[in-house]
């Protein structure tokens, strides 16, 4: 939140979609997107992405209804796969209800609706539905789950950690990749993975660690999925992390409609903007664009078992 007046600010906040970038010569997936929060319909989003070499797309759920929608959308659209989970900010809202102490909706990340507390039994019920969805063939990841300490007080942390532990079990039970949302919670995310025993495939979505964290992930064989924020002027530590990440563990994503890459920050993000992020990553890694794209595509096929 900043100053709302002034021409420059207004220009940056325009909702006009950015123009299509130059197409990639080697196609890469968008490993994490939220099409249910984007304006055009799914067929248009998929076509616009494919036209610039971005395919397939992984549609990510953040609660029970959006996870059901992700699975149904993947079943209905070639070139779309699903990830299903309760977002770390969703778990405390299920247990304690909106407005409870320590339960804040992170409206910079996803928007929720007000609802009363369902208690710990409510969390069990929601996890049982995620478990059912995770078995579907069009679902290739359990996520986004993890920990988000950015706005969550002490009361919310217990619900987040219980939910995260539950999702780790679901991913292992169904042989799915675990897609992790980690915001200001690196140490506890790594600790809980160790305590529960990590699934064979772990992906840190919207990787937000530094070079040291990238090395810790690389030692454990965890994938690091980079989003548009790697292009931001302030993100040199993230570019250092990208440089440190082995090419065989790098993925790319939009987290659209959030995190629109430079030079279109503030405008709506969508999968067709992945080329900007891929090119920034290639520069940070000192790799040729096509070589990195080929590596990313192979990594995504391996991590999510894409056919
Ligand atoms: Zn996230
Ligand atoms: Zn997301």
């Amino acid at each position: 939140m900043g100053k709302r007046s002034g021409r420059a600010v207004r220009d940056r906040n325009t909702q006009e979609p950015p123009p299509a970038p130059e197409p990639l010569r080697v196609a890469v997936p968008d490993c994490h997107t939220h099409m249910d929060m984007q304006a055009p319909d799914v067929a248009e989003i998929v076509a616009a992405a494919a036209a610039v070499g971005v395919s397939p797309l992984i549609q990510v759920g953040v609660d029970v209804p959006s996870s059901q929608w992700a699975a149904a959308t993947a079943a209905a659209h070639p070139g779309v796969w699903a990830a299903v989970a309760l977002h770390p900010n969703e778990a405390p809202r299920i247990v304690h209800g909106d407005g409870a102490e320590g339960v804040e909706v992170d409206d910079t990340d996803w928007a929720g609706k007000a609802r009363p507390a369902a208690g710990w039994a409510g969390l069990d019920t929601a996890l049982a539905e995620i478990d059912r969805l995770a078995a579907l063939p069009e679902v290739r990841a359990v996520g986004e789950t993890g920990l988000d300490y950015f706005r969550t007080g002490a009361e919310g942390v217990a619900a987040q950690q219980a939910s995260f532990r539950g999702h780790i079990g679901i991913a292992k039970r169904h042989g799915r990749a675990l897609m992790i949302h980690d915001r200001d919670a690196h140490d506890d995310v790594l600790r809980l993975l160790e305590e529960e025993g990590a699934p064979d495939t772990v992906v840190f979505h919207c990787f937000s660690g530094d070079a040291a964290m990238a090395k810790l992930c690389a030692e454990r064989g965890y994938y690091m999925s980079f989003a548009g924020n790697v292009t931001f002027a302030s993100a040199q530590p993230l570019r250092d992390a990208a440089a440190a990440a082995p090419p065989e563990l790098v993925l790319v994503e939009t987290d659209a409609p959030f995190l629109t890459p430079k030079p279109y920050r503030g405008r709506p993000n969508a999968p067709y903007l992945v080329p900007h992020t891929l090119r920034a990553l290639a520069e940070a890694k000192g790799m040729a664009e096509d070589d990195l794209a080929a590596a990313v595509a192979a990594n995504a096929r391996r991590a999510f078992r894409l056919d």
Side-chain angles (χ1 to χ4, degrees):
M1 286 296 169
K3 228 168 49 155
R4 289 236 169 247
S5 59
R7 185 182 163 80
V9 171
R10 267 202 310 277
D11 284 351
R12 270 205 304 278
N13 288 343
T14 175
Q15 288 303 294
E16 195 189 321
E22 193 189 319
L24 296 170
R25 288 176 296 267
V26 177
V28 301
D30 180 350
C31 293
H32 185 116
T33 193
H34 301 281
M35 288 188 276
D36 48 335
M37 303 181 197
Q38 297 165 42
D41 68 24
V42 170
E44 282 177 78
I45 296 169
V46 171
V52 294
V54 177
S55 175
L57 315 179
I58 299 182
Q59 168 65 24
V60 180
V62 296
D63 56 14
V64 166
S66 63
S67 292
Q68 292 167 334
W69 190 84
T73 300
H77 293 268
V80 179
W81 300 98
V84 296
L86 313 173
H87 190 283
N89 289 335
E90 170 70 1
R93 296 174 69 230
I94 291 174
V95 175
H96 304 291
D98 294 332
E101 195 184 336
V103 180
E104 290 193 45
V105 179
D106 179 359
D107 60 8
T108 63
D109 198 21
W110 61 282
K113 307 156 260 334
R115 92 195 72 159
W120 290 95
L123 181 60
D124 288 345
T125 304
L127 286 172
E129 176 62 3
I130 298 302
D131 185 67
R132 185 189 73 80
L133 293 169
L136 297 172
E138 56 272 20
V139 174
R140 295 305 167 94
V142 173
E144 56 184 300
T145 177
L147 301 173
D148 187 328
Y149 293 170
F150 181 59
R151 286 190 190 171
T152 301
E155 188 178 330
V157 168
Q160 283 197 1
Q161 294 194 356
S163 177
F164 183 35
R165 289 182 196 275
H167 283 89
I168 293 171
I170 292 169
K172 286 197 286 193
R173 190 149 53 245
H174 299 288
R176 302 299 187 209
L178 183 72
M179 182 188 277
I180 292 179
H181 171 108
D182 161 22
R183 193 162 184 194
D184 298 347
H186 303 323
D187 292 349
D188 278 1
V189 166
L190 293 173
R191 177 174 63 81
L192 264 61
L193 281 170
E194 206 129 303
E195 287 177 9
E196 295 295 318
D200 289 343
T201 305
V202 173
V203 176
F204 278 73
H205 118 76
C206 191
F207 184 80
S208 61
D210 56 10
M213 175 72 178
K215 285 186 185 122
L216 286 178
C217 287
E219 282 165 16
R220 290 160 174 78
Y222 298 163
Y223 290 90
M224 289 158 263
S225 183
F226 290 88
N229 51 342
V230 78
T231 69
F232 295 175
S234 58
Q236 191 54 47
L238 193 52
R239 285 187 288 277
D240 294 343
E248 65 272 18
L249 292 175
V250 172
L251 296 170
V252 69
E253 63 170 68
T254 55
D255 204 11
F258 311 107
L259 297 173
T260 312
K262 216 173 73 168
Y264 302 111
R265 256 185 110 167
R267 288 163 70 171
N269 199 8
Y272 75 93
L273 294 172
V274 158
H276 293 293
T277 302
L278 191 281
R279 286 171 181 136
L281 273 175
E283 197 182 320
K285 296 190 70 56
M287 286 178 73
E289 178 188 317
D290 290 359
D291 293 344
L292 180 63
V296 164
N299 298 343
R301 279 196 297 275
R302 195 185 325 119
F304 301 111
R305 302 182 184 195
L306 305 179
D307 312 313

